[in-house]
Each structure stands twice: as C-alpha cells, then as structure tokens.
Amino acid sequence: MSTLLLNLDFGEPPPKKALEGNAKHRNFVKKRRLLERRGFLSKKNQPPSKAPKLHSEPSKKGETPMVDGTWKTPSFPKKKKTAACSNESGQPLDKKAAVSWLTPAPSKKADSVAAKVDLLGEFQSALPKINSHPTRSQKKGFQKKSSKKNHPQKNAPQKSTQAHSENKCSGISQKLPQKMVAIDCEMVGTGPKGHVSSLARCSIVNYNGDVLYDEYVLPPCHIVDYRTRWSGIRKQHMVNATPFKIARGQILKILTGKIVVGHAIHNDFKALQYFHPKSLTRDTSHIPPLNRKADCPENATMSLKHLTKKLLNRDIQVGKSGHSSVEDAQATMELYKLVEVEWEEHLAQNPPKD
C-alpha cells in the first residue's frame, strides 16, 4: 500500500486576531451591549467593520492615548439640577422625563484598582435623586408626635370636663339673677265655713330683693274669714283691691319663663290656679342643703320663720298684725342664695321631671 503523506505544519500556531482588542476593551464592549439590551443606553452606530483599527484613527479632541492602546475620555461635568428635578423645590420628579443626556462614566486610570468599575453602578449613581415618600411607619410616628403635641397630658379630658362643668355652673349662676324671682302669697278663707283658701295679696321680688309686684287681690267668692292673725288682711284692704282675673294675668306675665323661689310654693300656685314647671321651681321647704345648714333633718319641712331665725338671724312673722308677704319673699330669696351653687349643681346632674 502506498503511504499517505499529509502536509502538516507543526510550527507555532497562528496568532490571534489583533483586531479584537485587549481584554479590558472586550469587557467594556460586553457591558455596554448588556446596557443597550436592557434599554439604559441607546445603541451606538457601529462602523461597517467589526472591530476598530488600533492606533490608526486620529485622536479625538480631548482624548489622550493610553499605554494599553485605548483612549481616555475626560469626564463630563455634572449638569446643574433644574427646577424639574430639584429636591429643594419639594416637587416630585417626573418619572417619564427623558434621561438621554446621561452617559456612563469613563474608565479610570489603568494603573489604579478602581479602573474595574461596574458601568451599571456608575449609571445609577448619575441618576438624579428623587424625594422618597414617607413610609407608613413614619406616618404613624408623625401622627403620634402630633397627637402628643395636641394632647400633652393624659388627664386633659378630665380637666376639660371639670372646667366645662364649672363654667356651666358659673354660667347658670350668672343667668339666674336675671330670670329669678321669689313669690309669697297671703290667703283669706272663702267657701263653706271659710275652709277654701283664696288669694288676697301677692308679692314678687327679684334676685336682689327689690319689689316687682305687690297688690291686694279681691277673691271672686265672698270672704268668710280674713285670717288677719296670719295674713294681715283686713276688710279695708279689699276696697280698692285688684280683681282676681286681672291680678292673675299680671302675676303670670311676670312668672312665665322665670325660676320661681318660694317656701311651700305649691300653696301659692294653688291659690293662683296655676302650675309652674318643676324645673323652674325652687322650694326652700324642700332643699336638703338648707336643712343641713340649719342642723335640721334633711327630709323635714321646716317653717320659714325657723329657717330665717337659724340661718339669717332675723325674726319675721312676729306680732298680731300678721305676716308681710314682701318680707317673707325677701327672706325666701336670701335663704336660697345660701345654697344656690350647691343646689343648682345638684339639679344640673339630677334634673327634676315635670
């Protein structure tokens, strides 16, 4: 058999293409293409040749040749932040704004360790900073701080309610003098054997004890018993007395809408044939604080004469001339003033039902 002879060259292998560039340049091209695929950079118009010629192209303006054959491009100066992306203005940056002016930072010196830098990191560092919105935890923290500023003390609601009640009571006490009167009536006996009590005199005083009304009243029925020993009414007082219907109209005009103070006041209203709201009625014969001040049982009904002597140190209803309705009304108002604040607070918490 004939021997096959192969023309084999066992010399040195052919050198690699020098046009491919060094490893640093290939790494740069690979990362740039990665950024182009991800959309961070626009594609660069490449020349028809696959690789640029080394050391053949003239240097561009501002570029300096490196030892390894690459060109160093000077870093671009940072652009000043405009009003659109300024953080000082406080307005958020428009996310759709174009960022075509951004370019990856150039490579550093070849002999430095920082030369191998991630282009993606440089690109992200070049992006303008956007104001971040506060998180939920930060918002809650802010709300807590603001709530603490608005309510510095835990006991503030209690203090406010106490102050409100005090202001309410003080407001009531300020309004009472204008809408408060005291009344006292004197009766005579009419009907069978004079057992029916009929109005013969009515006196009304204001908060300061000034007389608002004091008239003798002529009953509609015949008077059987004048009861002078207690009422002080005599026959001559009925000569020019005001008829009952007229006097009743005048009296009710004064009492309507006012707080009326009296002692055993239900007898006076019965003689007037009138019903006054309980919420506007103050009966000094049924005020427990007044009895306590006089060292009397709270549920006992004490006479006006006894309370006046004990608390005001004054004698009333003395002698055979009978009672004075003006004097009795003034004494009633003075007794009420002694326990006015305490009694009104009690009524504010426990309003009477009509």
Side-chain angles (χ1 to χ4, degrees), residues 4-31:
L4 296 176
L5 297 177
L6 298 176
N7 186 12
L8 299 175
D9 187 3
F10 294 98
E12 295 181 359
K16 294 182 181 181
K17 294 182 180 180
L19 299 177
E20 294 180 358
N22 56 8
K24 184 177 180 181
H25 180 71
R26 289 196 302 272
N27 190 19
F28 174 78
V29 173
K30 187 185 296 184
K31 289 183 179 180

Side-chain angles (χ1 to χ4, degrees), residues 8-66:
L8 299 175
D9 187 3
F10 294 98
E12 295 181 359
K16 294 182 181 181
K17 294 182 180 180
L19 299 177
E20 294 180 358
N22 56 8
K24 184 177 180 181
H25 180 71
R26 289 196 302 272
N27 190 19
F28 174 78
V29 173
K30 187 185 296 184
K31 289 183 179 180
R32 180 176 180 83
R33 288 176 181 173
L34 177 62
L35 294 177
E36 289 176 355
R37 284 197 302 271
R38 294 187 179 181
F40 290 106
L41 295 177
S42 58
K43 292 185 178 181
K44 187 175 181 182
N45 296 328
Q46 298 289 345
S49 59
K50 293 184 179 180
K53 296 180 180 181
L54 295 176
H55 308 291
S56 60
E57 294 181 359
S59 61
K60 295 182 181 180
K61 186 177 180 180
E63 295 182 349
T64 57
M66 300 296 294

